[in-house]
Amino acid sequence: MLRRASELLIVLGVALALAACGGGAEPPSPSGGEAESPPAATPAGATISGVIKFTGTAPEAEPILMDAEPICADKYPEGAFTELVIANSNGTLQNVFVYVKEGLPDQEWPVPSEGVLLDQNGCRYHPHVLGIQAGQTLIIRNSDGILHNIHPMPVNNRPFNLGQPVVMDSEKSFPTPEVMIPVECDVHDWMLGYIGVLNHPFFAVSGSDGSFSISGLPAGDYVVEAWHELYGTQTISVSVAEGGTEQIEFTYTGS
Amino acid sequence: MNRLPFAPVLRRSLPAALAGLGLALVLSALHSSKSPASAQPSVDGKSIYLERCAFCHGENGDGNGPVARYLNPRPRNFTLGQFRFRTTASGELPLREDVITIVKQGVRGTAMPRWEGVLSEAEVEAVVDYLTTSFVPFWGTYDPPVIAIPDPPRVTAGMIEEGAIQFQELQCWKCHGEQGRGNGSSALSLTDETDRPIRPADLTKAWRYKGGSDLVSIYTRFSTGMDGTPMPSFYDVIDEEQRWALAAYVRSLQTGEPSGESVLQAAFTSQDLPTDPDDPLWDQADPTSYFLTGQVIVGPRWQTPGVDAVTARALYNSTNLALLIEWDDPFQDTQGGGIDVLPQAGTYVDLETFPQNVGPFADGLAVQMPAMLGEGVAKPYFAWGQPGNPVNLWVWHASDQVQEFIGTGLKTEPAAQANTNVAAGADWTDGRYRLILTRPLSTGDPDDIEVKPGQFIPIAFQAWDGSKGETGTRLSLSSWNNLVLEQPTPIAAYLYAGLAVLGVGAGEWWLYRRVRS
């Protein structure tokens, strides 16, 4: 509780600051930065890439009982399983959110006008873990055509809880950086996803080969953090030269 | 007298034992805080908060006041900034007026008292300003978008029909159940913003609506959603006409509040008594509904009962009496035999330490009558009788057993009678039990009460909801009412009316005393 309270104070500070610069509310349009014409972006910036290694054994994925929703159950002829830990066959880990935590120059990064898609398909979130910029449009799609309620539970942002009873899209955005926001559907208690919100574009999610790549960075000294929903966070400090590429490697250990 | 303002509150809150508990706590706080009624009211929001709200909501507004662990739902944690009763879009802060409104009206069926008439308008505003600016994150940092609610149209049959279609298409039933009894397929897995279990509203019980059972309140709830709960906003997916239709349909699901009529009239039939709840013969018997409250007489006191009302009908013929008893229970629990691990404490059940997975306990219902009836015999104590003045208990459990017991008070386990002369048949469909209990009018068993036409036979009801962890003295109970096997004499009508009035008075007096003590 105490931790919460102090966090909230910080949040309040951030929110006040945001309000002061005119982007406080939560309008459908992206906040602040976008209006400024695309700045000297990053055509030939530096790149940090690498791989999330995984050693040890992952907890066994548990079967999900989807009998109540045949439309979803039918999408998994082999049965559906939880996505808590997805270890790849090449000894790497999927669904790790990797982002630049510290070291970026104090500037505003343009918010892409294109939205990011969060698709509810087969009573699951696709992707399971996604990154988005603060103020960028989150397109929430219901591909199943049965009732989902999209219910993110942020601390630094306002929550929302929208019923989507048919195939449809809704659009929302988060004005304040927050790593990570859990997303749930109360109708289907197994549905769980995570959204990382940053005020810059330097993030990635490890894929089915465990690799990630963050590009377009200015030269600098950075702290890069990796986040996994079960195994938590790790950081690595790394310096990149103008236009250069650095390889880093995180290692998570199962039981 | 600072107790007076509670009279109206008390009457409104009769159904809910937990509201009673809340009031009891408030009352004791009032007693201890010796606030002089005549002195000029303080409008210092902070001191009002500390005096009136903090023992539930916590000094820091974190919902962790000293009594919070006894309450379900828990007092709101204001530091999470999620409000149920708003006129703003999903996830947004409420307006100042929204908070003022809910503080004045209280949250029905919960411990959150109604403060209108207790605090002055200025005091309510002061305390609301204090709690919002001190505890609520984001407060005052932006203008939350409002959902405008136009004047409601006149409800037509066509609207209700259209609303029924909306209820289907929007799939409200996945949480609320086909009939709105809170028993949808997703109902058992729902949690609130603090990760505690929460149940969907039983939309059929007008008296259980937390935010008001009228058309506009219903429209508001599903348009704004109830932040901090699984209840989503559906504002964007239907238009205004469809919203009013849906509200009208939800409203049409509501059944009336038990009226306080205390006499259950058994109608005479010359036919065999029905064993099927759908038998049209039951139409000849007037249904009468009774409120049940949590058992808060002996420890551990149970302030969060599952079943809060039963509806009964009675028929008799020359040899037998049959009762048809109906009550809502969203989940059927037929498996009994769970070991009760709860320590016997003299206090309320501490919900923080109450084990989540006690049981399994079977659902159950008991009908209670005095074991002896006659001139000069006083009515036994309404809760399982007392030593020297026992009651008959017809106890049915969903494991489909019925057994007769002799009760001599809550402190002793009821003793099974040597013979059980009651027969039972039950049915549970879509969140509702229908139980038929049949017994010969006269059994010849010296333990049994004899039921004679024309007599006023005290009758009371008790219920257990297994999945709510109820067993033994963790149950809900009604006060005494009367069963009368109707004889078509005109004088009876007057008697019933008189008795009904008396019955209500007594019931209220009892609760009032409980709340005050």
Side-chain angles (χ1 to χ4, degrees):
Chain A
M1 281 299 147
L2 266 178
R3 194 185 57 96
R4 258 265 152 67
S6 57
E7 264 173 20
L8 285 169
L9 278 179
I10 299 169
V11 175
L12 209 73
V14 172
L16 282 165
L18 265 171
C21 58
E26 194 211 50
S29 63
S31 64
E34 197 217 28
E36 294 157 32
S37 58
T42 43
T47 300
I48 299 174
S49 63
V51 56
I52 314 286
K53 292 271 187 204
F54 183 73
T55 60
T57 27
E60 213 165 305
E62 291 184 20
I64 299 170
L65 200 71
M66 286 193 193
D67 296 7
E69 297 291 10
I71 286 183
C72 292
D74 288 353
K75 294 185 182 171
Y76 307 92
E78 320 274 279
F81 294 88
T82 52
E83 297 163 291
L84 182 65
V85 176
I86 299 189
N88 302 318
S89 52
N90 63 348
T92 62
L93 192 58
Q94 218 180 107
N95 287 334
V96 175
F97 185 65
V98 187
Y99 72 104
V100 175
K101 190 177 187 182
E102 288 165 32
L104 285 167
D106 189 14
Q107 76 168 78
E108 292 214 0
W109 306 94
V111 177
S113 52
E114 232 166 76
V116 176
L117 180 68
L118 177 61
D119 189 15
Q120 301 153 99
N121 194 340
C123 293
R124 262 203 192 153
Y125 295 111
H126 301 275
H128 179 62
V129 173
L130 75 72
I132 191 169
Q133 258 180 265
Q136 189 177 3
T137 304
L138 177 68
I139 303 163
I140 303 157
R141 179 162 299 162
N142 180 347
S143 296
D144 287 327
I146 52 163
L147 176 67
H148 289 303
N149 69 308
I150 179 85
H151 194 174
M153 320 218 167
V155 176
N156 300 359
N157 288 277
R158 295 300 308 167
F160 54 84
N161 178 358
L162 303 177
Q164 291 189 318
V166 292
V167 172
M168 64 181 282
D169 285 355
S170 301
E171 293 189 355
K172 278 283 180 180
S173 67
F174 297 101
T176 311
E178 182 166 355
V179 176
M180 304 287 285
I181 301 176
V183 181
E184 291 181 13
C185 170
D186 298 280
V187 183
H188 310 110
D189 67 335
W190 63 84
M191 288 177 72
L192 179 61
Y194 293 92
I195 300 177
V197 184
L198 295 167
N199 55 11
H200 60 71
F202 305 112
F203 53 80
V205 179
S206 68
S208 54
D209 61 354
S211 74
F212 65 89
S213 176
I214 297 170
S215 56
L217 280 159
D221 302 331
Y222 296 112
V223 175
V224 178
E225 183 165 87
W227 172 97
H228 184 267
E229 64 180 294
L230 179 65
Y231 298 121
T233 56
Q234 297 181 6
T235 52
I236 288 179
S237 296
V238 54
S239 305
V240 279
E242 179 91 50
T245 297
E246 287 297 325
Q247 290 284 332
I248 56 174
E249 197 177 285
F250 291 92
T251 303
Y252 282 99
T253 310
S255 54
Chain B
M1 287 302 290
N2 56 23
R3 223 174 292 127
L4 270 180
F6 282 96
V9 186
L10 193 57
R11 197 157 307 125
R12 274 173 45 98
S13 311
L14 273 178
L18 39 155
L21 170 68
L23 286 166
L25 295 164
V26 171
L27 281 165
S28 55
L30 281 178
H31 279 296
S32 58
S33 69
K34 59 180 183 334
S35 56
S38 53
Q40 66 278 58
S42 150
V43 284
D44 168 21
K46 182 174 182 179
S47 43
I48 299 170
Y49 182 84
L50 291 176
E51 197 175 314
R52 310 283 196 156
C53 323
F55 60 97
C56 284
H57 290 286
E59 282 184 21
N60 314 318
D62 60 3
N64 260 330
V67 305
R69 60 196 307 119
Y70 303 104
L71 304 177
N72 179 15
R74 302 252 313 181
R76 188 76 68 254
N77 175 349
F78 300 125
T79 70
L80 298 179
Q82 301 202 31
F83 288 76
R84 315 282 195 258
F85 309 101
R86 312 176 327 278
T87 57
T88 57
S90 174
E92 304 294 353
L93 287 176
L95 302 179
R96 178 174 181 266
E97 297 85 84
D98 294 339
V99 186
I100 290 173
T101 303
I102 196 69
V103 168
K104 286 208 283 200
Q105 87 186 33
V107 182
R108 258 194 132 175
T110 80
M112 170 66 188
R114 179 185 173 90
W115 291 100
E116 183 157 48
V118 179
L119 297 177
S120 71
E121 187 74 31
E123 287 173 317
V124 169
E125 288 184 25
V127 75
V128 165
D129 287 340
Y130 172 73
L131 80 87
T132 48
T133 53
S134 311
F135 309 133
V136 180
F138 301 100
W139 191 264
T141 59
Y142 75 110
D143 286 327
V146 172
I147 288 188
I149 297 180
D151 287 336
R154 214 173 51 80
V155 173
T156 61
M159 264 169 84
I160 295 178
E161 254 167 63
E162 162 66 18
I165 296 170
Q166 291 303 329
F167 192 85
Q168 277 307 315
E169 289 187 349
L170 301 181
Q171 297 151 69
C172 310
W173 46 269
K174 282 196 173 154
C175 290
H176 290 284
E178 286 287 351
Q179 313 286 324
R181 294 183 191 131
N183 61 315
S185 50
S186 301
L188 258 181
S189 62
L190 303 179
T191 51
D192 69 8
E193 76 276 54
T194 64
D195 259 348
R196 293 188 171 86
I198 187 171
R199 296 265 179 94
D202 180 339
L203 299 172
T204 66
K205 292 182 173 173
W207 66 93
R208 288 301 290 268
Y209 281 60
K210 293 179 170 181
S213 56
D214 58 297
L215 210 58
V216 172
S217 299
I218 296 169
Y219 180 109
T220 310
R221 292 295 98 69
F222 66 71
S223 295
T224 66
M226 297 172 77
D227 289 359
T229 86
M231 174 66 204
S233 158
F234 288 87
Y235 189 72
D236 296 336
V237 293
I238 43 176
D239 65 25
E240 190 189 323
E241 211 176 296
Q242 292 166 320
R243 282 182 221 122
W244 285 122
L246 179 59
Y249 173 70
V250 169
R251 185 129 196 273
S252 76
L253 296 173
Q254 296 171 4
T255 54
E257 189 162 337
S259 64
E261 163 71 64
S262 81
V263 178
L264 175 61
Q265 298 186 42
F268 178 79
T269 172
S270 51
Q271 303 174 37
D272 284 347
L273 293 178
T275 50
D276 177 354
D278 289 318
D279 194 312
L281 212 55
W282 287 113
D283 294 341
Q284 298 180 16
D286 282 342
T288 309
S289 298
Y290 303 102
F291 277 131
L292 273 56
T293 64
Q295 187 286 110
V296 290
I297 298 149
V298 300
R301 297 186 182 147
W302 186 238
Q303 68 277 24
T304 54
V307 180
D308 68 347
V310 301
T311 299
R313 284 169 226 245
L315 286 171
Y316 77 104
N317 60 17
S318 52
T319 54
N320 286 290
L321 167 71
L323 302 175
L324 168 60
I325 302 155
E326 299 174 73
W327 70 100
D328 285 6
D329 180 338
F331 310 105
Q332 187 187 24
D333 310 301
T334 54
Q335 220 194 326
I339 301 198
D340 194 15
V341 293
L342 205 71
Q344 293 290 311
T347 58
Y348 289 95
V349 173
D350 180 342
L351 300 172
E352 287 298 279
T353 56
F354 185 69
Q356 283 297 316
N357 301 314
V358 290
F361 303 127
D363 296 328
L365 188 117
V367 171
Q368 171 184 294
M369 297 181 196
M372 303 176 278
L373 198 62
E375 299 291 316
V377 181
K379 222 161 41 172
Y381 189 52
F382 79 100
W384 287 3
Q386 71 220 56
N389 198 354
V391 295
N392 276 171
L393 291 166
W394 306 352
V395 180
W396 167 86
H397 274 116
S399 30
D400 225 4
Q401 293 163 347
V402 65
Q403 194 169 6
E404 285 181 64
F405 289 86
I406 292 281
T408 51
L410 289 163
K411 296 210 169 115
T412 7
E413 207 158 300
Q417 292 182 203
N419 299 306
T420 286
N421 301 300
V422 177
D427 146 85
W428 181 93
T429 324
D430 201 3
R432 170 163 295 176
Y433 273 112
R434 296 187 298 172
L435 167 69
I436 296 178
L437 296 173
T438 313
R439 207 206 74 169
L441 298 176
S442 174
T443 61
D445 183 336
D447 286 337
D448 284 349
I449 184 177
E450 193 178 332
V451 179
K452 288 194 201 118
Q455 253 177 344
F456 285 89
I457 302 158
I459 185 168
F461 302 91
Q462 291 132 22
W464 294 267
D465 178 347
S467 44
K468 279 224 155 181
E470 295 186 349
T471 187
T473 57
R474 278 204 309 283
L475 80 170
S476 54
L477 31 78
S478 77
S479 52
W480 279 123
N481 300 283
N482 283 293
L483 168 71
V484 178
L485 276 52
E486 229 169 37
Q487 282 176 318
T489 55
I491 190 101
Y494 297 101
L495 259 172
Y496 300 150
L499 253 148
V501 170
L502 268 174
V504 177
E508 282 193 7
W509 169 240
W510 166 73
L511 265 152
Y512 185 57
R513 263 194 9 220
R514 279 236 52 78
V515 163
R516 278 190 47 197
S517 58

